[in-house]
Amino acid sequence: MNLRAGSPATTGSRLSTAVRKVFWTIIPVCWLIQGASYPHNIQPDGISYLDIASSCAKGNWHALVNAYWSPAYSVLMALWLSIVRPSPSREVLSLHFFNALLLLGAFFCFELFLSSLSRYFQSRKDDDEFAGLPFYAVETIAYVLFFWASLYLTPPSLDTPDAMIFGIVLAAGAVLLQIGSGQNGWSQFALLGAVLGFGFLAKAVMFPLAFVFMAFSLVADGSIRRATPKLIVCILVFALISGPFIFALSKSKGRFTFNDTSAIAYAEYINGIALFVHWQGGPPGTGEPKHPERKIFDNPAAYEYATPIGGTYPPWSDPSYWYDGVKPHFQLGNQLNAMRIGFERYFDVFTQLSAVFAGFLVLFFWSRDWAGFFRRTLQLSFLWFPAVAAFGLYSLVHVEDRFLPGFVILLVIALFSAIRFRDAEKNVEPVRAVVWAVVAILGLQIAWSVGHSVIRLASHRPVPEREIVEALNSKGVTAGDRVSFLGDAAFDHYWARLGRFRIVAEVPGRETTAFWAASPEIQSRVIEAFAQVGSQAVLAQNPPKNMLARGWQQIGGTNYYVLFTPGNLEKPSQP
C-alpha cells in the first residue's frame, strides 16, 4: 500500500549562513540574559529535581527511581552540578545556565529539523503547475517562532525538563522528515526509537506519544509493507532504552507502571482530590492513600512527614508515595470542564501567535488552491498529527504553556509547507510582506521580553530567602536540620533548599487563619507537636502583630517571622 502521492515542495535554498549566524548569536545571548535576570527564582518542581540531582551527585543513583519525576533531567543536572560545583547562593543561577544549554541542544535539533525539511522538499517531484513557498519564507518564520517559544514557553528560568522535550520533539520530526525524503533505512527507524526512548526518560507523557510518532513513521515512509519490519526495530530500540527504568520503577512499586504522574493529575483535576499535597482520602470513589501524610492536629489541621521520604519538602519530593492508592475514574462533566479549560489555554497561546496564524490565513486565501492545500496537509500528517495528538492528550487533564513549544512548531511548519501558488514569481511580494509582518510582530514581543529581563538584571532586588538562612544559622539551625512552616510550603520552600534544611511539618495556608485565631494553649500544642518530630524552628509570613509578644521574631526586613521551638531556644548562637 502506497501512502505517498503528490508533492508539497517549496522552492529556493536555505537562508544565508550570515543570517543564520545572526540568529545563533542573538538567541543564546538573550537566553543568558533571561536566565541571569532571575538568580533566585525557582519553581517547586525545580527544587525536587535539584534534590534528586544532589543525591545522584553524592552517589545515590537510586533516587532516580521516582514515579513522579522522570530521571533524564536530574541525571544531566547531576553531571552539571558535579562540573560547576556552585555555592548554595549561586545554585539557581547555575541551574538557569544549565537550562540555557538544554535550549542550545534544542536549537541544534531545530537546525536538524530545518535541514531535514529542506531535503524533504528537494526530494519531492512536482505533479502540477503549483509551486510552494520560497524556503526562506518558511525558514524565517520558523526561526522567529523558535526564538519566541524559547522565551515565552520554555525560558531558561523555567526549571523543568520541558526544554529537553522541546528538542526531542523537533529531533523526532527531523527523523520523520528524513524517512519521508527517502532516507528510510533501518538506521533511521532505530534512531527514531532512540530519540523517543530518551524522550520518555525526560518526561513520561512521551511514552504514549512515542507510539503516535512511531505509527506515523509508516506514513512518512510511504509504504506500510516496506516500513513495518523497520518499525519493529524502532519499537525494540525504544524498549531497550525505556525498559530498564520501567522495570526498576515497577519493581519499587510492586506493580507495573511507567509513571504515576498522569493518574495523580487526572484524580486531581478531574476527580477533585486534594491538589498537590495533603491528600487524606476522598472524594468517594477515588481510593484511600496507603501512606498519607500524618495529621498531627485537627483544628487547625497540621501535618507531619519527616519520614520516610527525604528531600527539602518531602510531600513534593515524591508525590507518588503519598498519593499511592489513588483511583482515578472518568466523570463526564468534570472531564468536559477540564477540556474547556485546556482549550482556553490553547486559545490564549495561539492568540499570542495571532501574527503567525494571520500570516498563514493571508497566504492560504491568496493561493486559491484550497483543495490542493488539504491534500498536501494530509500528506504531511506525520508532522502535524503527533502535535495534535499531544494537544488532545494534554487537554484531557491539564495544559500549561511549557508543554507546547515543539508541537506548535511542528503544526505551524506543516501548515505553511502545504501552501502553494500557481505562479510563484508573481507572488514574491505578498509572501515577503507576510514574512516581514510576522517577523515584526513576533520581534516586538521578543524585544519586550528581553527588555524586561535587562531591566530585572540591572535592578537590585532583596533576597529574603538569604536573610531567612542567616537568621536560622545564627540560632544554630544548620544544614540538615528540621524546620516547620505555617503557610503553603509547597509553593514557598526555596529558603529551605538554600539553607539545606528539611521541612518536616506544616499548617497549610488555608488553616493559618484558624491557627492565629486559636488560643495560646492550642498554638503551643501545635508547636510542641512540631518539636516532637525534630523541628527546631517554625517559619510564618505576616503573623498578627500581637503574636510578637509570644516569641515570634521578624527576620530582618522581610515579612517572614520565626519561632524557635523549646528544644532549640538554648542552642548557642553561631559566630
Side-chain angles (χ1 to χ4, degrees), residues 552-567:
W552 290 89
Q553 305 170 29
Q554 185 174 9
I555 298 176
T558 75
N559 62 351
Y560 287 87
Y561 290 71
V562 62
L563 177 69
F564 293 98
T565 55

Side-chain angles (χ1 to χ4, degrees), residues 385-400:
F385 191 91
V388 172
F391 296 150
L393 186 62
Y394 282 127
S395 71
L396 294 176
V397 184
H398 178 61
V399 178
E400 292 185 32

Side-chain angles (χ1 to χ4, degrees), residues 38-42 88-97 494:
Y38 293 90
H40 296 285
N41 289 63
I42 183 170
S89 63
R90 296 291 183 181
E91 187 176 58
V92 172
L93 183 61
S94 72
L95 180 56
H96 292 171
F97 290 157
Y494 169 52

